[in-house]
């Protein structure tokens, strides 16, 4: 893989983890990830995740939701800024 992005439930808060590539399937990189974003209390960060080139710059961008905690939010992590 070029890069690997995953979300996981962490006590209702949620987390987005990025492993920077290239990532080979036979490589052991650990569960910690290279970059981790965690949600606020009950935010459920990462309940929805999408990868797309939103600004058409040739680099994939990450769109992640945090629908909990009373004020739903959507975050965009631009590929060039990662």
């Amino acid at each position: 893989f070029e890069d690997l992005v995953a979300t996981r439930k962490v006590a209702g808060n949620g987390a987005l983890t990025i492993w920077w590539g290239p990532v080979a399937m036979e490589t052991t990189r650990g569960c910690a990830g290279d970059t981790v974003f965690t949600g606020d209390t009950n935010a459920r960060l990462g309940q929805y995740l999408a990868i797309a080139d939103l600004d058409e710059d040739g680099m994939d961008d990450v769109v992640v939701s945090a629908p909990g905690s009373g004020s739903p939010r959507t975050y965009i992590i631009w590929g060039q800024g990662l």
Side-chain angles (χ1 to χ4, degrees):
F1 302 101
E2 289 296 317
D3 300 309
L4 179 63
V5 179
T7 61
R8 61 189 169 96
K9 184 176 180 180
V10 180
N13 303 338
L16 173 78
T17 305
I18 301 172
W19 291 266
W20 301 110
V23 178
M25 292 303 292
E26 63 274 357
T27 301
T28 302
R29 301 272 299 264
C31 292
D34 297 320
T35 302
V36 178
F37 299 92
T38 56
D40 293 333
T41 302
N42 297 317
R44 298 191 331 254
L45 178 70
Q47 183 164 343
Y48 301 101
L49 172 70
I51 309 293
D53 184 5
L54 299 175
D55 55 0
E56 299 180 352
D57 66 351
M59 301 183 81
D60 287 334
D61 308 305
V62 177
V63 181
V64 62
S65 72
S69 69
S71 180
R73 298 175 191 261
T74 300
Y75 299 97
I76 300 173
I77 303 168
W78 300 105
Q80 65 189 21
L82 300 174

